Short mmCIF file of all heavy atoms in Angstrom, two decimals:
data_model
loop_
_atom_site.label_atom_id
_atom_site.label_comp_id
_atom_site.label_asym_id
_atom_site.label_seq_id
_atom_site.Cartn_x
_atom_site.Cartn_y
_atom_site.Cartn_z
N HIS A 95 81.88 82.55 81.55
CA HIS A 95 83.24 82.13 82.10
C HIS A 95 83.00 80.65 82.65
O HIS A 95 83.93 79.95 82.60
CB HIS A 95 83.67 83.02 83.22
CG HIS A 95 84.25 84.40 82.73
ND1 HIS A 95 84.47 84.69 81.41
CD2 HIS A 95 84.69 85.44 83.46
CE1 HIS A 95 84.99 85.84 81.31
NE2 HIS A 95 85.11 86.36 82.59
N VAL A 324 79.16 90.98 77.24
CA VAL A 324 80.36 90.13 77.56
C VAL A 324 80.81 89.40 76.25
O VAL A 324 81.97 89.08 76.15
CB VAL A 324 79.97 89.09 78.68
CG1 VAL A 324 78.95 88.06 78.24
CG2 VAL A 324 81.28 88.39 79.16
N ASP A 326 81.37 90.81 73.66
CA ASP A 326 82.35 91.69 73.03
C ASP A 326 83.74 91.83 73.85
O ASP A 326 84.63 92.52 73.50
CB ASP A 326 81.85 93.16 72.91
CG ASP A 326 80.82 93.25 71.81
OD1 ASP A 326 80.88 92.41 70.90
OD2 ASP A 326 79.96 94.11 71.85
N ALA A 327 83.79 91.05 74.92
CA ALA A 327 85.11 91.00 75.74
C ALA A 327 86.12 90.44 74.88
O ALA A 327 85.89 89.55 74.02
CB ALA A 327 84.83 90.29 77.05
N SER A 328 87.43 90.74 75.14
CA SER A 328 88.54 90.30 74.30
C SER A 328 88.50 88.71 74.26
O SER A 328 88.95 88.19 73.24
CB SER A 328 89.78 90.84 74.76
OG SER A 328 89.98 90.50 76.10
N CYS A 329 88.11 88.13 75.27
CA CYS A 329 88.26 86.62 75.30
C CYS A 329 87.07 85.98 74.52
O CYS A 329 87.10 84.73 74.36
CB CYS A 329 88.24 86.09 76.78
SG CYS A 329 87.03 86.83 77.82
N TYR A 330 86.08 86.73 74.14
CA TYR A 330 84.93 86.12 73.40
C TYR A 330 84.66 86.72 72.06
O TYR A 330 83.85 86.15 71.27
CB TYR A 330 83.65 86.26 74.24
CG TYR A 330 83.76 85.47 75.63
CD1 TYR A 330 83.63 86.04 76.82
CD2 TYR A 330 83.99 84.04 75.58
CE1 TYR A 330 83.75 85.34 78.02
CE2 TYR A 330 84.12 83.34 76.72
CZ TYR A 330 83.93 83.98 77.98
OH TYR A 330 84.12 83.28 79.14
N ARG A 331 85.26 87.92 71.76
CA ARG A 331 84.71 88.59 70.58
C ARG A 331 85.03 87.91 69.26
O ARG A 331 84.40 88.12 68.24
CB ARG A 331 85.17 90.05 70.60
CG ARG A 331 86.63 90.29 70.32
CD ARG A 331 86.82 91.81 70.06
NE ARG A 331 86.72 92.59 71.28
CZ ARG A 331 87.78 93.21 71.80
NH1 ARG A 331 88.96 93.17 71.28
NH2 ARG A 331 87.64 93.84 72.99
N ALA A 332 86.07 86.99 69.29
CA ALA A 332 86.36 86.23 68.05
C ALA A 332 85.37 85.03 67.77
O ALA A 332 85.40 84.49 66.63
CB ALA A 332 87.78 85.71 68.06
N LEU A 333 84.53 84.77 68.74
CA LEU A 333 83.62 83.63 68.50
C LEU A 333 82.63 84.06 67.34
O LEU A 333 82.21 85.18 67.23
CB LEU A 333 82.79 83.40 69.71
CG LEU A 333 83.50 82.81 70.98
CD1 LEU A 333 82.52 82.72 72.11
CD2 LEU A 333 84.07 81.43 70.63
#
Side-chain angles (χ1 to χ4, degrees):
H95 285 354
V324 68
D326 285 337
S328 56
C329 47
Y330 296 120
R331 75 169 71 111
L333 291 176

